[in-house]
Amino acid sequence: MRLITFSMERDYSLTGPERQNAFQRGLAGADWYRTPVDRKVLKSLMMRTDWPATRDISIWVAVLVGSGAGGVLFWGSWWALPFLFVYGVFYASAADSRWHECGHGTAFKTRWKNDAVYELASFLMMRNSVVWHWSHARHHTDTIIVGRDPEIAGMRPPQLIVLCLNLFGIVAVPQSLAALARNAVGIIPPDEADLIPETERVKAIRVGRIHIAIYVLVAMISLWSWSLLPLMIIGLPRAYGIWLLLVMGLPQHLGLAEDVLDHRINSRTVLMSPILRFIYWNMNYHIEHHMYPMVPYHALPKLHEVVKHDLPAPNPSLWNAWSEIIPCVLRQLRDPCHFIRPQLPEGAGAWDPVLSNQIA
């Protein structure tokens, strides 16, 4: 087997030379390998119901309200810290998975419930719900295809300083606010224009204006009251509560192959504890999710059992996943062509890469 190679520096934008390169190599909008699943089994796994998400959203909201109330009640004392710690994690890290699954429209059977939670979670994550709807659709169509996927977090060579700073949203939060502000004044930059149909751009501008208006109002209340508390409840948790999402979420693709049409090669499944899986809504079963994105989050453990014979062995823990990722990322600083090659089990389905370059 041969090695995937590319130039030492790549343009990860959606409008640069890599975009055309992806089309020329047959990578854009291509057919992906999927582990075959019996039609009846798949249909049962894809069945939607309101109950699991209603239960889990109720718990999520209850934790947010309880921890937020504790933070307000004990504000000004050290006792507020544990409440705000929990509040931040459930505000940001847990909101991302709710945003994600409701964006797919699979969390609830009832559409308006998906839409309502999606809009709320988009606001909490400082994401324009229209822009990110189309961004994530592209991520699934062209997963980790350079020049096409707007959600590649692990660029090569790695931006280690940015990744570390974003454990506390230091880079991502100003970038998100700037993107919302651009939308609010009617600007749709080229990378977003590549994603969003023209008919949707007015909606994107409206959402940007609503989000910015709320954040400005909260900031004004904070200034008027001469207290940071309003921003600690709305806005800043996106920064101080995002760390757990990065710990759980970066292993999805970090250190794996680019420009391949097999999710077993560019995505990672990591086994996690029930508490982390609740916060993450089972997105740790990430190969499975990318293969069959219309399977609801609560059915992903069952899907894993159905397809695991054809997948690389999952990482048994986050610690194990990061123990292989960190050396890989450090090596990529001097060798951007390096990546982790998952071992497929004996008898696994064949991947026929459309590329002239193949994995070694």
Side-chain angles (χ1 to χ4, degrees):
M1 294 168 58
R2 291 162 288 172
L3 179 67
I4 292 178
T5 60
F6 47 79
S7 60
M8 295 296 283
E9 292 187 8
R10 309 193 75 184
D11 184 342
Y12 286 83
S13 73
L14 304 186
T15 55
E18 294 287 356
R19 168 192 169 88
Q20 187 60 33
N21 185 36
F23 279 101
Q24 290 174 349
R25 297 168 70 189
L27 294 170
D31 292 328
W32 288 72
Y33 175 83
R34 288 185 181 183
T35 299
V37 175
D38 178 81
R39 180 175 292 185
K40 290 184 178 179
V41 173
L42 184 59
K43 184 177 180 180
S44 68
L45 290 171
M46 292 174 63
M47 189 175 297
R48 301 183 191 181
T49 174
D50 282 345
W51 164 240
T54 299
R55 174 198 63 207
D56 293 343
I57 291 297
S58 298
I59 295 171
W60 176 53
V61 171
V63 173
L64 278 174
V65 171
S67 57
V72 172
L73 180 64
F74 292 105
W75 181 250
S77 76
W78 291 107
W79 287 105
L81 291 181
F83 287 100
L84 292 174
F85 176 83
V86 172
Y87 181 77
V89 167
F90 277 78
Y91 182 111
S93 294
D96 176 81
S97 55
R98 276 72 181 162
W99 163 86
H100 175 270
E101 191 69 7
C102 291
H104 278 282
T106 55
F108 296 92
K109 181 179 180 180
T110 305
R111 180 172 177 175
W112 72 262
K113 295 181 180 180
N114 279 307
D115 292 344
V117 175
Y118 177 70
E119 291 296 337
L120 171 62
S122 295
F123 172 75
L124 297 181
M125 293 301 297
M126 293 185 176
R127 292 172 181 164
N128 186 310
S129 56
V130 177
V131 174
W132 279 78
H133 168 79
W134 294 100
S135 169
H136 199 66
R138 175 74 65 80
H139 172 64
H140 272 272
T141 301
D142 297 324
T143 308
I144 318 300
I145 303 298
V146 179
R148 291 289 293 168
D149 186 349
E151 297 183 14
I152 298 177
M155 300 176 183
R156 304 187 205 166
Q159 299 175 310
L160 289 187
I161 294 177
V162 174
L163 290 175
C164 291
L165 290 175
N166 274 338
L167 283 170
F168 305 100
I170 294 173
V171 175
V173 167
Q175 286 179 336
S176 296
L177 288 173
L180 287 167
R182 283 194 297 269
N183 296 154
V185 297
I187 298 173
I188 304 293
D191 273 20
E192 292 181 3
D194 183 65
L195 298 167
I196 310 170
E198 288 189 21
T199 55
E200 296 287 296
R201 294 176 189 175
V202 172
K203 296 179 185 177
I205 292 169
R206 181 169 65 246
V207 169
R209 289 172 178 170
I210 293 171
H211 284 203
I212 289 297
I214 295 173
Y215 287 126
V216 168
L217 177 61
V218 174
M220 291 176 64
I221 293 173
S222 190
L223 284 171
W224 175 78
S225 62
W226 204 244
S227 171
L228 196 60
L229 180 58
L231 288 169
M232 291 294 288
I233 299 300
I234 298 177
L236 285 179
R238 167 61 180 82
Y240 70 77
I242 202 65
W243 63 272
L244 182 57
L245 172 63
L246 270 66
V247 172
M248 296 187 297
L250 283 176
Q252 290 177 355
H253 306 286
L254 191 59
L256 297 171
E258 298 174 339
D259 294 350
V260 296
L261 301 178
D262 189 335
H263 295 301
R264 300 172 301 174
I265 307 300
N266 70 5
S267 304
R268 181 185 283 108
T269 286
V270 183
L271 301 183
M272 296 184 188
S273 69
I275 293 176
L276 290 181
R277 287 196 292 111
F278 173 79
I279 293 173
Y280 201 29
W281 258 15
N282 286 333
M283 280 302 107
N284 54 296
Y285 296 106
H286 212 65
I287 300 175
E288 298 84 343
H289 168 67
H290 269 279
M291 278 189 173
Y292 293 101
M294 289 297 101
V295 172
Y297 76 96
H298 53 80
L300 286 176
K302 293 180 181 178
L303 176 61
H304 171 72
E305 294 300 319
V306 172
V307 301
K308 67 180 182 180
H309 68 279
D310 194 42
L311 274 53
N315 292 91
S317 66
L318 271 172
W319 177 268
N320 177 269
W322 279 104
S323 70
E324 73 174 16
I325 291 170
I326 291 174
C328 172
V329 169
L330 292 177
R331 179 171 169 179
Q332 286 177 343
L333 290 172
R334 63 180 187 277
D335 179 13
C337 292
H338 175 70
F339 61 93
I340 297 166
R341 296 157 175 80
Q343 296 298 310
L344 298 178
E346 186 176 351
W351 167 52
D352 180 15
V354 180
L355 315 175
S356 58
N357 309 315
Q358 300 178 12
I359 281 196

PDB file of all heavy atoms in Angstrom, residues 128 131-132 172 174-192 201 204-209 212:
ATOM      1  N   ASN A 128     -23.957  31.005  14.217  1.00  0.00           N
ATOM      2  CA  ASN A 128     -25.093  31.384  13.396  1.00  0.00           C
ATOM      3  C   ASN A 128     -25.763  30.090  12.938  1.00  0.00           C
ATOM      4  O   ASN A 128     -25.160  29.285  12.226  1.00  0.00           O
ATOM      5  CB  ASN A 128     -24.628  32.200  12.189  1.00  0.00           C
ATOM      6  CG  ASN A 128     -25.778  32.755  11.381  1.00  0.00           C
ATOM      7  OD1 ASN A 128     -26.703  32.049  11.014  1.00  0.00           O
ATOM      8  ND2 ASN A 128     -25.723  34.057  11.094  1.00  0.00           N
ATOM      9  N   VAL A 131     -25.668  29.508   9.057  1.00  0.00           N
ATOM     10  CA  VAL A 131     -24.328  29.249   8.528  1.00  0.00           C
ATOM     11  C   VAL A 131     -23.858  27.851   8.920  1.00  0.00           C
ATOM     12  O   VAL A 131     -23.367  27.070   8.092  1.00  0.00           O
ATOM     13  CB  VAL A 131     -23.327  30.298   9.038  1.00  0.00           C
ATOM     14  CG1 VAL A 131     -21.900  29.941   8.601  1.00  0.00           C
ATOM     15  CG2 VAL A 131     -23.702  31.690   8.540  1.00  0.00           C
ATOM     16  N   TRP A 132     -24.045  27.508  10.199  1.00  0.00           N
ATOM     17  CA  TRP A 132     -23.525  26.243  10.687  1.00  0.00           C
ATOM     18  C   TRP A 132     -24.352  25.046  10.223  1.00  0.00           C
ATOM     19  O   TRP A 132     -23.855  23.920  10.187  1.00  0.00           O
ATOM     20  CB  TRP A 132     -23.388  26.277  12.200  1.00  0.00           C
ATOM     21  CG  TRP A 132     -22.121  26.983  12.600  1.00  0.00           C
ATOM     22  CD1 TRP A 132     -21.898  28.331  12.637  1.00  0.00           C
ATOM     23  CD2 TRP A 132     -20.887  26.364  12.976  1.00  0.00           C
ATOM     24  NE1 TRP A 132     -20.615  28.586  13.024  1.00  0.00           N
ATOM     25  CE2 TRP A 132     -19.975  27.404  13.246  1.00  0.00           C
ATOM     26  CE3 TRP A 132     -20.478  25.053  13.133  1.00  0.00           C
ATOM     27  CZ2 TRP A 132     -18.667  27.151  13.646  1.00  0.00           C
ATOM     28  CZ3 TRP A 132     -19.177  24.789  13.538  1.00  0.00           C
ATOM     29  CH2 TRP A 132     -18.290  25.847  13.784  1.00  0.00           C
ATOM     30  N   ALA A 172     -11.381  31.238  19.820  1.00  0.00           N
ATOM     31  CA  ALA A 172     -12.654  30.898  19.170  1.00  0.00           C
ATOM     32  C   ALA A 172     -13.773  31.875  19.498  1.00  0.00           C
ATOM     33  O   ALA A 172     -14.584  32.213  18.628  1.00  0.00           O
ATOM     34  CB  ALA A 172     -13.078  29.483  19.558  1.00  0.00           C
ATOM     35  N   PRO A 174     -13.710  35.274  20.346  1.00  0.00           N
ATOM     36  CA  PRO A 174     -13.647  36.497  19.525  1.00  0.00           C
ATOM     37  C   PRO A 174     -13.924  36.230  18.048  1.00  0.00           C
ATOM     38  O   PRO A 174     -14.589  37.041  17.386  1.00  0.00           O
ATOM     39  CB  PRO A 174     -12.206  36.985  19.739  1.00  0.00           C
ATOM     40  CG  PRO A 174     -11.808  36.428  21.062  1.00  0.00           C
ATOM     41  CD  PRO A 174     -12.478  35.091  21.134  1.00  0.00           C
ATOM     42  N   GLN A 175     -13.452  35.090  17.536  1.00  0.00           N
ATOM     43  CA  GLN A 175     -13.715  34.758  16.130  1.00  0.00           C
ATOM     44  C   GLN A 175     -15.210  34.560  15.893  1.00  0.00           C
ATOM     45  O   GLN A 175     -15.758  35.011  14.875  1.00  0.00           O
ATOM     46  CB  GLN A 175     -12.950  33.498  15.729  1.00  0.00           C
ATOM     47  CG  GLN A 175     -11.461  33.709  15.541  1.00  0.00           C
ATOM     48  CD  GLN A 175     -10.733  32.430  15.170  1.00  0.00           C
ATOM     49  OE1 GLN A 175     -11.200  31.322  15.462  1.00  0.00           O
ATOM     50  NE2 GLN A 175      -9.586  32.569  14.526  1.00  0.00           N
ATOM     51  N   SER A 176     -15.875  33.883  16.822  1.00  0.00           N
ATOM     52  CA  SER A 176     -17.314  33.634  16.675  1.00  0.00           C
ATOM     53  C   SER A 176     -18.107  34.931  16.737  1.00  0.00           C
ATOM     54  O   SER A 176     -19.029  35.144  15.943  1.00  0.00           O
ATOM     55  CB  SER A 176     -17.797  32.670  17.774  1.00  0.00           C
ATOM     56  OG  SER A 176     -17.190  31.405  17.642  1.00  0.00           O
ATOM     57  N   LEU A 177     -17.743  35.801  17.684  1.00  0.00           N
ATOM     58  CA  LEU A 177     -18.433  37.082  17.788  1.00  0.00           C
ATOM     59  C   LEU A 177     -18.198  37.943  16.545  1.00  0.00           C
ATOM     60  O   LEU A 177     -19.117  38.608  16.062  1.00  0.00           O
ATOM     61  CB  LEU A 177     -17.971  37.820  19.046  1.00  0.00           C
ATOM     62  CG  LEU A 177     -18.477  37.253  20.382  1.00  0.00           C
ATOM     63  CD1 LEU A 177     -17.803  37.963  21.544  1.00  0.00           C
ATOM     64  CD2 LEU A 177     -19.997  37.374  20.486  1.00  0.00           C
ATOM     65  N   ALA A 178     -16.983  37.899  16.032  1.00  0.00           N
ATOM     66  CA  ALA A 178     -16.676  38.665  14.818  1.00  0.00           C
ATOM     67  C   ALA A 178     -17.478  38.141  13.633  1.00  0.00           C
ATOM     68  O   ALA A 178     -17.996  38.925  12.823  1.00  0.00           O
ATOM     69  CB  ALA A 178     -15.184  38.599  14.523  1.00  0.00           C
ATOM     70  N   ALA A 179     -17.620  36.815  13.539  1.00  0.00           N
ATOM     71  CA  ALA A 179     -18.396  36.232  12.440  1.00  0.00           C
ATOM     72  C   ALA A 179     -19.858  36.622  12.549  1.00  0.00           C
ATOM     73  O   ALA A 179     -20.499  36.966  11.541  1.00  0.00           O
ATOM     74  CB  ALA A 179     -18.243  34.709  12.462  1.00  0.00           C
ATOM     75  N   LEU A 180     -20.412  36.582  13.765  1.00  0.00           N
ATOM     76  CA  LEU A 180     -21.798  36.998  13.971  1.00  0.00           C
ATOM     77  C   LEU A 180     -21.976  38.487  13.642  1.00  0.00           C
ATOM     78  O   LEU A 180     -22.978  38.884  13.041  1.00  0.00           O
ATOM     79  CB  LEU A 180     -22.225  36.717  15.414  1.00  0.00           C
ATOM     80  CG  LEU A 180     -22.468  35.251  15.781  1.00  0.00           C
ATOM     81  CD1 LEU A 180     -22.576  35.094  17.298  1.00  0.00           C
ATOM     82  CD2 LEU A 180     -23.732  34.720  15.100  1.00  0.00           C
ATOM     83  N   ALA A 181     -20.987  39.295  14.051  1.00  0.00           N
ATOM     84  CA  ALA A 181     -21.073  40.732  13.788  1.00  0.00           C
ATOM     85  C   ALA A 181     -21.035  41.024  12.285  1.00  0.00           C
ATOM     86  O   ALA A 181     -21.769  41.894  11.798  1.00  0.00           O
ATOM     87  CB  ALA A 181     -19.937  41.463  14.504  1.00  0.00           C
ATOM     88  N   ARG A 182     -20.194  40.294  11.550  1.00  0.00           N
ATOM     89  CA  ARG A 182     -20.162  40.467  10.097  1.00  0.00           C
ATOM     90  C   ARG A 182     -21.518  40.136   9.477  1.00  0.00           C
ATOM     91  O   ARG A 182     -22.032  40.880   8.636  1.00  0.00           O
ATOM     92  CB  ARG A 182     -19.070  39.578   9.481  1.00  0.00           C
ATOM     93  CG  ARG A 182     -17.661  40.090   9.645  1.00  0.00           C
ATOM     94  CD  ARG A 182     -16.694  39.352   8.741  1.00  0.00           C
ATOM     95  NE  ARG A 182     -16.622  37.923   9.074  1.00  0.00           N
ATOM     96  CZ  ARG A 182     -15.761  37.407   9.928  1.00  0.00           C
ATOM     97  NH1 ARG A 182     -14.898  38.195  10.568  1.00  0.00           N
ATOM     98  NH2 ARG A 182     -15.740  36.113  10.160  1.00  0.00           N
ATOM     99  N   ASN A 183     -22.092  39.023   9.918  1.00  0.00           N
ATOM    100  CA  ASN A 183     -23.418  38.661   9.417  1.00  0.00           C
ATOM    101  C   ASN A 183     -24.443  39.724   9.784  1.00  0.00           C
ATOM    102  O   ASN A 183     -25.318  40.065   8.977  1.00  0.00           O
ATOM    103  CB  ASN A 183     -23.858  37.310   9.987  1.00  0.00           C
ATOM    104  CG  ASN A 183     -22.984  36.143   9.551  1.00  0.00           C
ATOM    105  OD1 ASN A 183     -22.900  35.138  10.245  1.00  0.00           O
ATOM    106  ND2 ASN A 183     -22.318  36.264   8.413  1.00  0.00           N
ATOM    107  N   ALA A 184     -24.333  40.262  10.996  1.00  0.00           N
ATOM    108  CA  ALA A 184     -25.310  41.237  11.480  1.00  0.00           C
ATOM    109  C   ALA A 184     -25.317  42.512  10.634  1.00  0.00           C
ATOM    110  O   ALA A 184     -26.359  43.165  10.495  1.00  0.00           O
ATOM    111  CB  ALA A 184     -25.031  41.582  12.943  1.00  0.00           C
ATOM    112  N   VAL A 185     -24.174  42.868  10.077  1.00  0.00           N
ATOM    113  CA  VAL A 185     -24.124  44.072   9.237  1.00  0.00           C
ATOM    114  C   VAL A 185     -24.305  43.733   7.762  1.00  0.00           C
ATOM    115  O   VAL A 185     -24.082  44.571   6.884  1.00  0.00           O
ATOM    116  CB  VAL A 185     -22.810  44.858   9.456  1.00  0.00           C
ATOM    117  CG1 VAL A 185     -22.719  45.349  10.887  1.00  0.00           C
ATOM    118  CG2 VAL A 185     -21.593  44.021   9.075  1.00  0.00           C
ATOM    119  N   GLY A 186     -24.690  42.488   7.491  1.00  0.00           N
ATOM    120  CA  GLY A 186     -25.028  42.100   6.132  1.00  0.00           C
ATOM    121  C   GLY A 186     -23.907  41.514   5.310  1.00  0.00           C
ATOM    122  O   GLY A 186     -24.039  41.358   4.091  1.00  0.00           O
ATOM    123  N   ILE A 187     -22.801  41.154   5.952  1.00  0.00           N
ATOM    124  CA  ILE A 187     -21.659  40.605   5.221  1.00  0.00           C
ATOM    125  C   ILE A 187     -21.672  39.077   5.293  1.00  0.00           C
ATOM    126  O   ILE A 187     -21.723  38.495   6.388  1.00  0.00           O
ATOM    127  CB  ILE A 187     -20.333  41.141   5.788  1.00  0.00           C
ATOM    128  CG1 ILE A 187     -20.258  42.664   5.633  1.00  0.00           C
ATOM    129  CG2 ILE A 187     -19.140  40.471   5.112  1.00  0.00           C
ATOM    130  CD1 ILE A 187     -19.052  43.286   6.311  1.00  0.00           C
ATOM    131  N   ILE A 188     -21.615  38.429   4.150  1.00  0.00           N
ATOM    132  CA  ILE A 188     -21.443  36.984   4.060  1.00  0.00           C
ATOM    133  C   ILE A 188     -20.093  36.764   3.383  1.00  0.00           C
ATOM    134  O   ILE A 188     -19.967  36.932   2.162  1.00  0.00           O
ATOM    135  CB  ILE A 188     -22.564  36.320   3.229  1.00  0.00           C
ATOM    136  CG1 ILE A 188     -23.946  36.653   3.797  1.00  0.00           C
ATOM    137  CG2 ILE A 188     -22.356  34.810   3.153  1.00  0.00           C
ATOM    138  CD1 ILE A 188     -24.227  36.050   5.163  1.00  0.00           C
ATOM    139  N   PRO A 189     -19.050  36.428   4.148  1.00  0.00           N
ATOM    140  CA  PRO A 189     -17.706  36.302   3.558  1.00  0.00           C
ATOM    141  C   PRO A 189     -17.630  35.132   2.576  1.00  0.00           C
ATOM    142  O   PRO A 189     -18.514  34.263   2.550  1.00  0.00           O
ATOM    143  CB  PRO A 189     -16.804  36.074   4.778  1.00  0.00           C
ATOM    144  CG  PRO A 189     -17.712  35.617   5.851  1.00  0.00           C
ATOM    145  CD  PRO A 189     -19.053  36.206   5.593  1.00  0.00           C
ATOM    146  N   PRO A 190     -16.562  35.086   1.749  1.00  0.00           N
ATOM    147  CA  PRO A 190     -16.475  34.083   0.683  1.00  0.00           C
ATOM    148  C   PRO A 190     -16.625  32.639   1.141  1.00  0.00           C
ATOM    149  O   PRO A 190     -17.321  31.851   0.496  1.00  0.00           O
ATOM    150  CB  PRO A 190     -15.083  34.337   0.087  1.00  0.00           C
ATOM    151  CG  PRO A 190     -14.821  35.787   0.352  1.00  0.00           C
ATOM    152  CD  PRO A 190     -15.463  36.063   1.680  1.00  0.00           C
ATOM    153  N   ASP A 191     -15.973  32.259   2.254  1.00  0.00           N
ATOM    154  CA  ASP A 191     -16.080  30.868   2.710  1.00  0.00           C
ATOM    155  C   ASP A 191     -17.517  30.515   3.083  1.00  0.00           C
ATOM    156  O   ASP A 191     -17.980  29.395   2.838  1.00  0.00           O
ATOM    157  CB  ASP A 191     -15.159  30.630   3.905  1.00  0.00           C
ATOM    158  CG  ASP A 191     -13.744  30.247   3.464  1.00  0.00           C
ATOM    159  OD1 ASP A 191     -13.395  30.529   2.300  1.00  0.00           O
ATOM    160  OD2 ASP A 191     -13.011  29.661   4.277  1.00  0.00           O
ATOM    161  N   GLU A 192     -18.250  31.461   3.689  1.00  0.00           N
ATOM    162  CA  GLU A 192     -19.650  31.208   4.027  1.00  0.00           C
ATOM    163  C   GLU A 192     -20.516  31.222   2.776  1.00  0.00           C
ATOM    164  O   GLU A 192     -21.455  30.422   2.649  1.00  0.00           O
ATOM    165  CB  GLU A 192     -20.141  32.242   5.043  1.00  0.00           C
ATOM    166  CG  GLU A 192     -19.486  32.100   6.411  1.00  0.00           C
ATOM    167  CD  GLU A 192     -20.002  33.117   7.416  1.00  0.00           C
ATOM    168  OE1 GLU A 192     -20.919  33.904   7.059  1.00  0.00           O
ATOM    169  OE2 GLU A 192     -19.487  33.139   8.546  1.00  0.00           O
ATOM    170  N   ARG A 201     -29.340  33.383   2.747  1.00  0.00           N
ATOM    171  CA  ARG A 201     -28.418  34.384   3.294  1.00  0.00           C
ATOM    172  C   ARG A 201     -29.128  35.475   4.079  1.00  0.00           C
ATOM    173  O   ARG A 201     -28.586  35.997   5.056  1.00  0.00           O
ATOM    174  CB  ARG A 201     -27.561  34.970   2.162  1.00  0.00           C
ATOM    175  CG  ARG A 201     -26.641  33.923   1.567  1.00  0.00           C
ATOM    176  CD  ARG A 201     -25.835  34.410   0.394  1.00  0.00           C
ATOM    177  NE  ARG A 201     -25.149  33.281  -0.247  1.00  0.00           N
ATOM    178  CZ  ARG A 201     -24.435  33.368  -1.349  1.00  0.00           C
ATOM    179  NH1 ARG A 201     -24.301  34.542  -1.967  1.00  0.00           N
ATOM    180  NH2 ARG A 201     -23.858  32.287  -1.862  1.00  0.00           N
ATOM    181  N   ALA A 204     -29.495  34.139   7.475  1.00  0.00           N
ATOM    182  CA  ALA A 204     -28.226  34.174   8.207  1.00  0.00           C
ATOM    183  C   ALA A 204     -27.960  35.563   8.774  1.00  0.00           C
ATOM    184  O   ALA A 204     -27.492  35.718   9.909  1.00  0.00           O
ATOM    185  CB  ALA A 204     -27.084  33.735   7.294  1.00  0.00           C
ATOM    186  N   ILE A 205     -28.268  36.592   7.998  1.00  0.00           N
ATOM    187  CA  ILE A 205     -28.090  37.973   8.461  1.00  0.00           C
ATOM    188  C   ILE A 205     -29.021  38.266   9.624  1.00  0.00           C
ATOM    189  O   ILE A 205     -28.624  38.876  10.629  1.00  0.00           O
ATOM    190  CB  ILE A 205     -28.327  38.952   7.291  1.00  0.00           C
ATOM    191  CG1 ILE A 205     -27.201  38.801   6.252  1.00  0.00           C
ATOM    192  CG2 ILE A 205     -28.410  40.391   7.795  1.00  0.00           C
ATOM    193  CD1 ILE A 205     -27.465  39.511   4.943  1.00  0.00           C
ATOM    194  N   ARG A 206     -30.264  37.810   9.531  1.00  0.00           N
ATOM    195  CA  ARG A 206     -31.231  38.042  10.615  1.00  0.00           C
ATOM    196  C   ARG A 206     -30.783  37.354  11.906  1.00  0.00           C
ATOM    197  O   ARG A 206     -30.852  37.951  12.992  1.00  0.00           O
ATOM    198  CB  ARG A 206     -32.607  37.539  10.194  1.00  0.00           C
ATOM    199  CG  ARG A 206     -33.679  37.764  11.266  1.00  0.00           C
ATOM    200  CD  ARG A 206     -35.073  37.513  10.750  1.00  0.00           C
ATOM    201  NE  ARG A 206     -35.271  36.113  10.382  1.00  0.00           N
ATOM    202  CZ  ARG A 206     -35.481  35.682   9.153  1.00  0.00           C
ATOM    203  NH1 ARG A 206     -35.498  36.550   8.142  1.00  0.00           N
ATOM    204  NH2 ARG A 206     -35.670  34.403   8.898  1.00  0.00           N
ATOM    205  N   VAL A 207     -30.322  36.117  11.801  1.00  0.00           N
ATOM    206  CA  VAL A 207     -29.856  35.396  12.993  1.00  0.00           C
ATOM    207  C   VAL A 207     -28.668  36.121  13.612  1.00  0.00           C
ATOM    208  O   VAL A 207     -28.586  36.277  14.840  1.00  0.00           O
ATOM    209  CB  VAL A 207     -29.480  33.948  12.634  1.00  0.00           C
ATOM    210  CG1 VAL A 207     -28.742  33.277  13.794  1.00  0.00           C
ATOM    211  CG2 VAL A 207     -30.731  33.142  12.282  1.00  0.00           C
ATOM    212  N   GLY A 208     -27.721  36.579  12.782  1.00  0.00           N
ATOM    213  CA  GLY A 208     -26.580  37.323  13.299  1.00  0.00           C
ATOM    214  C   GLY A 208     -27.005  38.553  14.080  1.00  0.00           C
ATOM    215  O   GLY A 208     -26.449  38.854  15.140  1.00  0.00           O
ATOM    216  N   ARG A 209     -27.998  39.267  13.574  1.00  0.00           N
ATOM    217  CA  ARG A 209     -28.480  40.472  14.255  1.00  0.00           C
ATOM    218  C   ARG A 209     -29.137  40.142  15.591  1.00  0.00           C
ATOM    219  O   ARG A 209     -28.945  40.865  16.584  1.00  0.00           O
ATOM    220  CB  ARG A 209     -29.453  41.213  13.344  1.00  0.00           C
ATOM    221  CG  ARG A 209     -28.750  41.869  12.163  1.00  0.00           C
ATOM    222  CD  ARG A 209     -29.707  42.450  11.143  1.00  0.00           C
ATOM    223  NE  ARG A 209     -28.962  43.110  10.062  1.00  0.00           N
ATOM    224  CZ  ARG A 209     -29.500  43.540   8.938  1.00  0.00           C
ATOM    225  NH1 ARG A 209     -30.817  43.381   8.723  1.00  0.00           N
ATOM    226  NH2 ARG A 209     -28.755  44.127   8.018  1.00  0.00           N
ATOM    227  N   ILE A 212     -26.265  39.111  18.121  1.00  0.00           N
ATOM    228  CA  ILE A 212     -25.463  40.265  18.542  1.00  0.00           C
ATOM    229  C   ILE A 212     -26.283  41.195  19.432  1.00  0.00           C
ATOM    230  O   ILE A 212     -25.781  41.735  20.435  1.00  0.00           O
ATOM    231  CB  ILE A 212     -24.919  41.018  17.317  1.00  0.00           C
ATOM    232  CG1 ILE A 212     -23.835  40.184  16.623  1.00  0.00           C
ATOM    233  CG2 ILE A 212     -24.369  42.381  17.713  1.00  0.00           C
ATOM    234  CD1 ILE A 212     -22.603  39.917  17.466  1.00  0.00           C
TER     235      ILE A 212
END
